[in-house]
Amino acid sequence: MSVLVRAGVWPLRAARAVIPCFWRGKYFSSGKEPAENNLVTPMLRHLIYKIKSTGPITVAEYMKEVLTNPAKVWVGEPEDKARSISAAGVNREAFSLSQLLGIWFISEWIATGKTAAFQLVELGPGRGTLSGDILRVFSQLGSVLKNCDISVHLVEVSQKLSEIQALTLTEEKVPLERDAGAPVYMKGVTKSGIPISWYRDLQDIPKGFSFYLAHEFFDVLPVHKFQKTPHGWREVLIDIDPHVSDKLRFVLAPCATPAEAFIQCDETRDHVEVCPDAGVIIQELSERIAVTGGAALIADYGHDGTKTDTFRGFCGHKLHDVLIAPGTADLTADVDFSYLRRMAQGKVASLGPVKQQTFLKNMGIDVRLKVLLDKSDEPSLRQQLLQGYDMLMNPKEMGERFNFFALLPHQRLHGRNHQINALQSEPSPSPVAGFSELVWR
Ligand SMILES: C[S@@+](CC[C@H](N)C(=O)[O-])C[C@H]1O[C@@H](n2cnc3c(N)ncnc32)[C@H](O)[C@@H]1O
């Protein structure tokens, strides 16, 4: 079969009009994997039932089912993900990226004129540890923010995770709002006394000057995958393996599917992943930032429109075949930042993506490490600090694989008044921390 496909002959199977998929150079449904990998999870049973009833599903549908189906949702690994910065910061209290993120927001708040109030919005807060650390920085810098009215808004689709977030951030069980249709589904007060609310959708958050954070959020949003063939783009679908029961495999759609509309006309890659949900969220963020001000900081694994097949599974901190034992592993696809930039449609300015290594250097991570090393005499603590630094900065670890990207109002980068007379002087806007060196004015 592979010879036929590579030769450009695309035989359709009579029973199901799909084509076994070879773009990764192997069948995922070879049936040669060890038996212990072939677990029949409740999610697998659910997917098999679904495919039997309605036919092969898109990769986007597969990701959505596995990651956010309320009945069977995957809630991540005990301490976030192996690949998350939070886990990477060996000594979270002493040396964590979240502290630098807190400083980024304060620096932007100062650069944009210290508004009387702002909303801190986190998209997909996981266990709530990142927001918790950022709020701790806000408390530590209480004298800077003392007259600012802050509120926290979390966008979370998983009921289970929102309960964990509530425990992390408020230290108590927050009850569900009585009105099931209300945009806010939980409300409470954080440990430091800040009002906090939970929503299922970004659109439900009140409009107002806001700082948005999306850390390892966009990479879990569902992607459609496409393979270029001699007959044009064909969507990669997921089907039941006809040779092995209870097993899934990739196939190609026999003809064009609607999601193909998301592929750029001048696309040069032969395999692409597109994430329409990310486009919708970026459009909403851009509209909000353009109208009511603030900024969005997006941190994720990703590329600038160059990579092809990045759909991966992680389980127990290790790579995991995405089609094996669905519901037991975390699924991700790298973020295409060029797509995010395009989706902002010029309503706001974008910065990045810059590599984590560059972003953290600009945020002063080296100075922070030196201060911490100078303060610690204990060899084990010093070693932990150096290990944490290496994990965050080493190009082979997260230094080059993780990226930062920001959306800001145009006037933040170009000054307030575009029409200003050349003789009149208006102070030039301060550089954006992380994307240039952090400067406190
Ligand atoms: C990988 S975790 C990120 C954790 C956290 N941001 C961190 O870095 O520690 C992804 C989070 O996004 C949430 N999520 C996934 N899809 C979502 C959606 N469409 N809307 C809101 N939250 C979503 C998940 O439930 C989870 O909380």
Side-chain angles (χ1 to χ4, degrees):
M1 181 69 88
S2 67
V3 175
L4 288 175
V5 172
R6 287 201 191 105
V9 182
W10 295 87
L12 298 186
R13 286 164 49 224
R16 285 171 176 273
V18 290
I19 300 160
C21 189
F22 283 90
W23 90 92
R24 292 193 199 214
K26 71 160 188 161
Y27 266 127
F28 272 92
S29 53
S30 64
K32 287 179 188 140
E33 289 86 358
E36 66 269 22
N37 282 345
N38 202 6
L39 294 177
V40 182
T41 56
M43 176 54 75
L44 179 61
R45 258 187 241 117
H46 164 73
L47 290 165
I48 285 178
Y49 179 76
K50 191 177 168 85
I51 295 170
K52 276 185 180 160
S53 333
T54 56
I57 56 173
T58 63
V59 172
E61 217 176 326
Y62 180 78
M63 283 181 86
K64 205 171 183 159
E65 282 290 340
V66 173
L67 295 174
T68 58
N69 183 323
K72 305 166 179 75
V73 72
W74 163 246
V75 293
E77 293 176 8
E79 171 55 308
D80 291 333
K81 285 189 245 172
R83 55 203 184 83
S84 83
I85 284 168
S86 9
V90 177
N91 186 331
R92 191 178 181 101
E93 285 298 314
F95 191 62
S96 93
L97 171 109
S98 23
Q99 293 174 334
L100 294 175
L101 297 185
I103 290 170
W104 192 86
F105 289 116
I106 295 178
S107 139
E108 273 310 292
W109 174 72
I110 293 172
T112 45
K114 301 187 183 174
T115 49
F118 71 77
Q119 308 187 132
L120 176 69
V121 180
E122 188 179 355
L123 307 178
R127 292 170 175 262
T129 31
L130 203 48
S131 276
D133 287 353
I134 291 172
L135 292 179
R136 209 167 305 129
V137 173
F138 288 179
S139 294
Q140 282 159 3
L141 295 178
S143 59
V144 181
L145 290 164
K146 67 175 181 290
N147 295 324
C148 185
D149 193 3
I150 302 173
S151 54
V152 178
H153 305 260
L154 304 180
V155 183
E156 177 56 71
V157 284
S158 156
Q159 181 61 45
K160 186 130 195 170
L161 280 175
S162 59
E163 283 164 20
I164 297 174
Q165 291 151 18
L167 282 177
T168 309
L169 295 163
T170 69
E171 265 176 349
E172 53 190 28
K173 209 167 173 320
V174 176
L176 275 181
E177 288 291 298
R178 292 227 170 114
D179 177 2
V184 179
Y185 68 88
M186 271 165 43
K187 247 188 215 164
V189 177
T190 69
K191 288 180 225 172
S192 51
I194 295 175
I196 180 166
S197 315
W198 279 262
Y199 311 77
R200 289 185 188 88
D201 199 312
L202 172 63
Q203 290 189 9
D204 295 331
I205 296 180
K207 299 233 158 72
F209 188 96
S210 305
F211 291 120
Y212 301 90
L213 173 64
H215 181 268
E216 293 195 28
F217 167 72
F218 280 96
D219 74 333
V220 299
L221 296 182
V223 292
H224 289 268
K225 287 175 79 67
F226 295 90
Q227 173 69 36
K228 199 179 260 172
T229 76
H231 302 279
W233 288 105
R234 288 292 178 265
E235 184 156 9
V236 176
L237 304 177
I238 292 168
D239 194 8
I240 302 163
D241 191 321
H243 309 295
V244 188
S245 63
D246 295 331
K247 194 126 196 273
L248 300 174
R249 66 168 184 171
F250 289 110
V251 293
L252 289 182
C255 52
T257 50
E260 192 188 313
F262 293 106
I263 305 176
Q264 290 286 101
C265 317
D266 55 357
E267 182 56 66
T268 53
R269 288 167 288 176
D270 63 0
H271 187 101
V272 288
E273 294 167 339
V274 281
C275 183
D277 288 9
V280 171
I281 292 169
I282 290 292
Q283 283 173 358
E284 173 74 18
L285 284 175
S286 305
E287 184 74 36
R288 284 170 167 256
I289 294 170
V291 176
T292 51
L297 186 63
I298 296 167
D300 230 311
Y301 293 90
H303 57 92
D304 212 3
T306 50
K307 285 198 186 170
T308 55
D309 171 28
T310 71
F311 181 38
R312 297 282 177 270
F314 288 88
C315 184
H317 302 186
K318 288 203 184 101
L319 266 174
H320 176 96
D321 188 324
V322 287
L323 297 186
I324 300 279
T328 61
D330 195 6
L331 302 179
T332 84
D334 282 5
V335 176
D336 181 347
F337 289 102
S338 69
Y339 176 71
L340 301 195
R341 195 182 303 115
R342 231 173 20 249
M343 289 298 110
Q345 297 172 324
K347 288 182 188 148
V348 286
S350 65
L351 286 178
V354 297
K355 303 278 172 224
Q356 171 157 300
Q357 201 182 35
T358 310
F359 184 87
L360 295 184
K361 250 197 198 316
N362 284 335
M363 288 299 298
I365 193 169
D366 290 338
V367 179
R368 176 135 186 82
L369 176 69
K370 186 172 178 328
V371 170
L372 290 169
L373 285 174
D374 287 349
K375 278 204 285 192
S376 60
D377 311 324
E378 213 188 297
S380 68
L381 179 59
R382 291 172 70 86
Q383 201 195 341
Q384 274 191 358
L385 288 169
L386 291 167
Q387 267 175 7
Y389 178 90
D390 185 63
M391 193 79 122
L392 293 170
M393 299 293 281
N394 189 329
K396 289 194 190 125
E397 302 280 351
M398 300 187 70
E400 287 204 347
R401 288 162 49 213
F402 210 74
N403 298 271
F404 284 80
F405 180 81
L407 299 174
L408 304 140
H410 284 293
Q411 60 268 33
R412 169 69 183 90
L413 297 189
H414 306 299
R416 228 156 258 138
N417 188 352
H418 295 279
Q419 258 80 64
I420 201 157
N421 182 316
L423 296 174
Q424 290 174 284
S425 66
E426 179 165 308
S428 59
S430 55
V432 178
F435 299 88
S436 322
E437 229 169 281
L438 173 66
V439 196
W440 292 107
R441 286 204 171 174

